[in-house]
Amino acid sequence: MAIISSKISDAIAYLNNRNIIGIPTETVYGLAGNALDVDVISKIFEVKNRPTFDPLICHTYDIEEVKKYVRFIPNLAYDLFQKFSPGPITILLPKKDIIPDLITSGLPSVAFRIPNHTLTLELLKNISYPLAAPSANPFGYISPTNAYHVLNQLGQSIPFILDGGDCEVGLESTIIGFENGETPKIVRLGGISVEEIESVTGKINIQTSSSKPTAPGMLESHYAPKKKIRIGHIDTLLVENKNKKIGILSFSKNYENVSFINLILSKNNNTTEAAKNLFSYLRQLDDSDCEIILTEYVPQHGLGNAINDRLKRACA
Ligand code: TXA
Ligand code: MG
C-alpha cells in the first residue's frame, strides 16, 4: 500500500529510483514519473489502465525549462505561459526528439504545463527531468483532488503519494493547441476560463469533443462515477425517479428535503467554488448508498463551461 507523506526528499528518491508516484497539483493529483524514461512512462499507462493512444502531459517549473524539450514556442504561447503560469494551463508545442514518442502517442507536439503547487514546484526544481503525469485515477473514472482519493484507487499499485492537501482549482488544466503553428484553439476546457484565455488571444476556437480516439484524448465518456447518473432539470428528474434512493448534485439550490443525499456545489452561485467541489462531491455521491445521481448544468460563465464539459462526459 502506498505511503502518504509531504516529504519532498522521499518523493525525489522514489522518482530517481524509476518509480511512479502520486503528486499534488492545483488542478488534480497526478500519477507522475520521469518523462524521459520510456520504461517509467510505460508503467504510468499500465497502472492507469490507459490506452497508449491517449498522450501524457509533461510538467516542469519554468518556461526556460520548457525550451529544452520543444523546438519553438509561438509568441502567443509564450504570452499565455507568462500570464497564467504557474497555473492551470497546458500548451501543445512541437517536441524535440528527447521527448519519447510514447508520451505524445506518436504526435509531433508535446503538452507542457507548469503546475501551481508549492510542493510540486519544489520537487520539479530538484530533479533533472520533467514529470509526465496524467490525472491519478483509473482511466475513465472521476479525477482525484486529494491524496486519499489517489490512495483508494491506485494505492495498491504505487509506493508513494506526495500529500499536498486539497487541490485549489479542482478541474484539470485548460489545454491550448496551435493549428499550423499559429492559430490558437482550446482543445480541453479547464481551470483557466475561456474569458481569461481570450484576454490574451482574442476570440478563440473551442474544439474539445471527440469520439475519435486518435484525436487527442477527449473521449465522450470520461470522469464517470460507477453509479447511474442523469443530467437535466432536477425537478423533472426527481419525478421520473421518485421510487429510488436519490443522490443530488445541485449547483446552488437545496434539495435536502426531497433527496436521500444532496451536495451543493456552491451555495453562493460561484463557478470557481463549484469547480473546486465537483470531483470530490461526485465521488462522495458515488460512495454513498444512493441508487442514482441526479445533476444539472451550471451557469456558463467563468469555469461553468469547463464544469459542464466534465458533467456531460460523466453522464455520457
Ligand atoms: O491539470 C492537468 O492537466 C492534470 C494535472 C495532473 O496536471 N493532468 C491531466 O492529465 O489532466 P490527463 O492525462 O488526465 O489529461 C491529459 C489530456 C488528455 O486528454 C490528452 O489527450 C491531452 O491532454 N494531451 C496530452 N498530450 C497531448 C498532445 N501531445 N496532443 C494533444 N493532446 C494531448
Ligand atoms: Mg484525466
Side-chain angles (χ1 to χ4, degrees):
M1 206 59 170
I3 295 165
I4 294 193
S5 147
S6 315
K7 257 182 105 178
I8 297 178
S9 55
D10 287 354
I12 294 172
Y14 279 108
L15 289 167
N16 288 343
N17 281 320
R18 309 182 75 200
N19 291 290
I20 60 175
I21 65 169
I23 58 162
T25 83
E26 78 283 30
T27 59
V28 301
Y29 272 67
L31 181 64
N34 181 348
L36 308 181
D37 184 331
V38 176
D39 293 339
V40 171
I41 306 164
S42 304
K43 238 187 268 177
I44 295 178
F45 280 102
E46 196 185 303
V47 164
K48 204 180 141 82
N49 198 10
R50 178 181 181 118
T52 50
F53 61 68
D54 196 359
L56 305 181
I57 296 178
C58 293
H59 299 68
T60 188
Y61 58 91
D62 72 14
I63 306 181
E64 288 309 305
E65 277 300 301
V66 175
K67 285 184 187 160
K68 293 186 186 166
Y69 305 104
V70 306
R71 288 194 286 113
F72 62 91
I73 302 183
N75 288 338
L76 262 183
Y78 205 87
D79 295 345
L80 286 166
F81 266 141
Q82 288 277 27
K83 173 128 193 212
F84 300 118
S85 287
I89 188 157
T90 295
I91 303 187
L92 305 179
L93 297 163
K95 81 177 194 73
K96 286 186 181 160
D97 290 343
I98 183 173
I99 296 288
D101 289 327
L102 185 56
I103 292 257
T104 66
S105 305
L107 294 167
S109 358
V110 59
F112 257 97
R113 103 172 186 90
I114 302 167
N116 191 14
H117 191 289
T118 331
L119 281 189
T120 293
L121 281 174
E122 190 59 28
L123 169 65
L124 287 163
K125 282 178 195 159
N126 285 288
I127 52 179
S128 57
Y129 41 85
L131 287 177
S135 50
N137 51 294
F139 186 70
Y141 191 66
I142 305 166
S143 304
T145 54
N146 68 41
Y148 295 90
H149 295 160
V150 183
L151 184 75
N152 288 340
Q153 294 186 296
L154 301 177
Q156 306 282 7
S157 325
I158 58 176
F160 186 84
I161 301 162
L162 185 63
D163 189 357
D166 287 331
C167 298
E168 275 304 310
V169 176
L171 277 184
E172 291 86 348
S173 57
T174 302
I175 306 182
I176 311 281
F178 284 84
E179 252 164 337
N180 50 47
E182 281 172 33
T183 316
K185 61 175 182 188
I186 295 181
V187 301
R188 179 176 71 184
L189 294 162
I192 306 271
S193 69
V194 178
E195 296 95 312
E196 286 174 288
I197 299 285
E198 287 186 335
S199 74
V200 175
T201 61
K203 187 84 192 132
I204 194 168
N205 272 333
I206 304 178
Q207 227 174 73
T208 58
S209 198
S210 173
S211 51
K212 229 189 351 182
T214 49
M218 303 304 296
L219 300 177
E220 263 152 27
S221 169
H222 215 80
Y223 315 104
K226 296 179 211 95
K227 294 235 160 87
K228 243 193 218 162
I229 174 166
R230 294 280 174 275
I231 193 160
H233 294 288
I234 290 180
D235 292 307
T236 316
L237 294 171
L238 272 169
V239 176
E240 290 168 9
N241 292 281
K242 65 172 178 287
N243 296 322
K244 300 196 182 102
K245 237 180 179 179
I246 289 169
I248 294 181
L249 182 68
S250 52
F251 176 53
S252 57
K253 201 169 149 188
N254 188 328
Y255 288 92
E256 267 161 23
N257 55 335
V258 286
S259 80
F260 168 68
I261 170 171
N262 174 206
L263 298 179
I264 303 169
L265 287 170
S266 171
K267 289 181 179 139
N268 315 309
N269 291 295
N270 179 317
T271 54
T272 303
E273 183 183 28
K276 183 170 174 176
N277 291 328
L278 177 68
F279 287 138
S280 72
Y281 284 7
L282 260 181
R283 208 176 265 266
Q284 241 173 279
L285 289 166
D286 206 24
D287 292 341
S288 77
D289 295 338
C290 74
E291 297 169 63
I292 184 165
I293 303 168
L294 307 182
T295 189
E296 61 186 347
Y297 288 113
V298 309
Q300 283 282 38
H301 56 78
L303 296 186
N305 48 10
I307 295 172
N308 290 339
D309 170 86
R310 302 301 187 271
L311 284 173
K312 192 166 87 195
R313 291 177 208 273
C315 298

